[in-house]
Amino acid sequence: MVTEDPNAGLADDPKVQYCESWRLAVETNNAGEWKKVPSRCVDVVADYIKGPQYLTDSKMVARLSHAYAKTVKLAGDDRDVWIFDVDETLISNFLHYTVHGYESRMSNETAYDQWVYTGKATALPWSLWLYRKLQSLGFQLVLLTGRKEHHRNSTEQNLMAVGYRSWKKLILRESLDATKTAMTYKSEKRAELEAEGYRIHGSSGDQWSDLLGPPMAKRSFKLPNPMYHIP
Amino acid sequence: MVTEDPNAGLADDPKVQYCESWRLAVETNNAGEWKKVPSRCVDVVADYIKGPQYLTDSKMVARLSHAYAKTVKLAGDDRDVWIFDVDETLISNFLHYTVHGYESRMSNETAYDQWVYTGKATALPWSLWLYRKLQSLGFQLVLLTGRKEHHRNSTEQNLMAVGYRSWKKLILRESLDATKTAMTYKSEKRAELEAEGYRIHGSSGDQWSDLLGPPMAKRSFKLPNPMYHIP
């Protein structure tokens, strides 16, 4: 095993090695409430998203989700649910973030709104694959997003244009949810779904705030996203 | 963004790329109840543990843990706790696993027992660094391990020999805990600690079963371990 002086700073580590560790810290939620991609990792993150590893990582999550989904016994009463987040889970906004910076959703809401209205987000191919597999298995698909009600039309059009053809519900943030964290808002919506009799077997999201907080899905699947953090 | 036929099998992916995705799936808990390292990844895992990335990943977790710990206001009543798991969290059994295989703790208990009795596990340097930092800050350190009561002496000797000098409690598995999963056993012990008035500010472990289950620590830190899974 390599030994090293533990008092040496992280800044001394080779860049790619450091950025890989930082990305792992984000994906495991060890990073907690992080604000922005470390400046030395901005291009490492772009290379990751554009390259084959992001696709293979996404494929692995989709395959594992599907393997689990196949073990679920569905009651056949249309109450067996799988929840998907939208941004960076079903569709990719990478084209927007390359222009405006990874933190632009939070820092420049006008630019983000304009981007959403264009409806030009692309499908994440392995999420689309999983989506269709789950529909074939008989799951009810619920889309639960931090996008706002005024994004409903453009979101629906974008999703349909890239191949997501139908869903049970598309839940968007209403005005009264505006001040809540994503974790609180999404937990409340899962609680409402359960109160309506839905059984939440699985949940897929690129943020831990998509997945954590009571009640949780029976299995949660964290998709990679080293670009931004939503609390 | 790279596009690819989503119906292609994972087995078609280049080995290192596949194994990186598998490792990420393990670290994020997407892999769920996995049994053993995929055969094509056995040497990739060994290279990771022996190489610089494991050390940098461990350093990142330790630094993030310390950054959080520094923000905690301690009451000064000796009830502010940080929990550490032992194996692959404070000390490394890599020497054992290279000889007996990564799944030998579960499959060959005799060999594992003999290894524990030798007391030759090495310190994970960044965990030792964090351990001392937390002691300096005034945290009470509780060691909560799946090792059994009959391992107490050899575990204490091993820990002290590699630099872990003192702790508040070392909790080992008693006979009545034998049939419980690690997650249940460790959750029960956290509940007992809280009932005794301890406030669990942080928890460090290489298994999700070290960290999940009510009550959880205020912040949990997942250390890397691609060698084996404990439910």
Side-chain angles (χ1 to χ4, degrees):
Chain A
M1 203 154 321
V2 180
T3 55
E4 188 186 329
D5 173 16
N7 292 303
L10 278 165
D12 299 335
D13 293 315
K15 173 173 158 164
V16 171
Q17 201 168 293
Y18 168 85
C19 296
E20 283 297 289
S21 290
W22 176 80
R23 194 161 64 77
L24 183 63
V26 164
E27 298 303 342
T28 54
N29 210 18
N30 287 338
E33 301 292 307
W34 60 280
K35 295 294 180 206
K36 56 189 291 186
V37 176
S39 52
R40 65 197 292 226
C41 298
V42 168
D43 56 340
V44 175
V45 165
D47 289 346
Y48 167 73
I49 297 285
K50 287 186 287 185
Q53 194 65 53
Y54 178 47
L55 198 69
T56 311
D57 290 348
S58 305
K59 183 176 178 175
M60 181 68 78
V61 187
R63 292 278 185 173
L64 289 165
S65 306
H66 184 226
Y68 159 69
K70 284 190 290 185
T71 69
V72 175
K73 273 206 109 121
L74 302 192
D77 61 356
D78 294 344
R79 285 289 182 272
D80 293 298
V81 157
W82 196 287
I83 298 178
F84 281 97
D85 169 57
V86 171
D87 291 300
E88 271 56 67
T89 297
L90 293 180
I91 52 179
S92 169
N93 301 292
F94 182 62
L95 291 174
H96 170 73
Y97 293 116
T98 48
V99 175
H100 292 274
Y102 298 134
E103 64 276 19
S104 63
R105 182 169 177 175
M106 282 59 78
S107 67
N108 187 345
E109 213 174 336
T110 313
Y112 176 74
D113 271 356
Q114 279 170 353
W115 161 254
V116 168
Y117 289 135
T118 67
K120 288 194 173 155
T122 55
L124 286 160
W126 281 98
S127 296
L128 183 55
W129 175 86
L130 174 63
Y131 195 92
R132 289 172 173 168
K133 290 286 186 192
L134 295 177
Q135 279 184 322
S136 303
L137 287 170
F139 285 92
Q140 306 296 313
L141 304 186
V142 172
L143 314 190
L144 174 53
T145 172
R147 289 185 175 199
K148 296 174 183 159
E149 268 298 339
H150 64 84
H151 295 134
R152 183 175 288 276
N153 287 348
S154 47
T155 301
E156 288 185 347
Q157 283 160 21
N158 196 155
L159 287 167
M160 292 203 279
V162 299
Y164 298 98
R165 302 246 180 268
S166 63
W167 44 81
K168 180 76 175 183
K169 287 170 188 271
L170 168 61
I171 304 171
L172 298 108
R173 208 186 265 257
E174 296 176 82
S175 346
L176 58 91
D177 300 316
T179 58
K180 295 171 188 165
T181 62
M183 183 148 8
T184 301
Y185 154 67
K186 294 192 170 186
S187 297
E188 287 176 1
K189 293 300 168 186
R190 283 193 299 275
E192 288 173 21
L193 287 167
E194 291 198 348
E196 292 166 31
Y198 290 103
R199 297 174 292 275
I200 308 173
H201 295 286
S203 184
S204 302
D206 64 291
Q207 300 287 324
W208 283 99
S209 57
D210 294 330
L211 308 172
L212 297 176
M216 284 177 67
K218 280 180 201 129
R219 280 286 299 275
S220 297
F221 294 90
K222 170 70 174 74
L223 279 73
N225 183 0
M227 296 190 286
Y228 59 85
H229 169 78
I230 298 176
Chain B
M1 203 154 320
V2 179
T3 56
E4 189 187 327
D5 172 17
N7 292 303
L10 277 165
D12 299 335
D13 293 317
K15 173 173 157 162
V16 172
Q17 201 167 296
Y18 168 84
C19 296
E20 283 297 290
S21 291
W22 176 80
R23 195 162 62 77
L24 183 63
V26 164
E27 299 303 343
T28 53
N29 210 19
N30 287 338
E33 302 292 307
W34 60 280
K35 297 293 178 204
K36 57 188 291 186
V37 176
S39 53
R40 65 197 293 225
C41 298
V42 167
D43 57 339
V44 175
V45 165
D47 289 346
Y48 167 74
I49 297 285
K50 287 185 287 186
Q53 194 65 51
Y54 178 47
L55 199 69
T56 311
D57 289 348
S58 305
K59 181 177 181 176
M60 181 68 78
V61 187
R63 292 278 186 174
L64 289 165
S65 306
H66 184 227
Y68 159 68
K70 284 191 290 185
T71 69
V72 175
K73 273 206 109 125
L74 301 192
D77 60 357
D78 295 344
R79 285 288 181 272
D80 293 298
V81 157
W82 195 287
I83 297 178
F84 281 97
D85 170 56
V86 171
D87 292 300
E88 272 55 68
T89 297
L90 292 181
I91 53 180
S92 169
N93 301 292
F94 182 63
L95 291 174
H96 170 72
Y97 293 115
T98 49
V99 174
H100 292 274
Y102 299 133
E103 63 277 17
S104 62
R105 181 168 179 177
M106 283 58 76
S107 66
N108 187 345
E109 214 175 335
T110 313
Y112 176 75
D113 271 357
Q114 279 169 354
W115 162 254
V116 168
Y117 288 136
T118 68
K120 288 194 172 155
T122 54
L124 285 160
W126 281 98
S127 296
L128 184 54
W129 175 87
L130 175 64
Y131 195 92
R132 289 172 173 168
K133 290 286 186 192
L134 294 177
Q135 277 183 324
S136 304
L137 287 170
F139 284 92
Q140 306 297 311
L141 304 186
V142 172
L143 315 191
L144 175 53
T145 172
R147 289 185 176 201
K148 296 174 183 158
E149 268 298 339
H150 64 85
H151 295 134
R152 182 175 289 276
N153 287 347
S154 47
T155 301
E156 288 185 347
Q157 283 160 21
N158 197 154
L159 286 167
M160 292 203 280
V162 300
Y164 298 97
R165 301 247 179 268
S166 64
W167 44 82
K168 180 77 176 185
K169 289 171 188 271
L170 168 61
I171 304 172
L172 299 108
R173 208 187 265 257
E174 296 178 81
S175 340
L176 60 90
D177 300 317
T179 57
K180 294 171 188 164
T181 62
M183 182 149 6
T184 301
Y185 155 66
K186 294 192 170 187
S187 298
E188 287 176 3
K189 293 300 169 188
R190 283 193 299 275
E192 287 173 23
L193 287 167
E194 290 198 349
E196 291 166 31
Y198 291 103
R199 295 173 293 275
I200 308 173
H201 294 287
S203 184
S204 303
D206 64 292
Q207 300 288 324
W208 282 100
S209 56
D210 294 330
L211 308 172
L212 298 177
M216 285 177 65
K218 281 180 200 129
R219 280 286 298 274
S220 297
F221 293 90
K222 170 70 176 73
L223 279 73
N225 183 358
M227 297 190 286
Y228 58 86
H229 168 77
I230 298 177

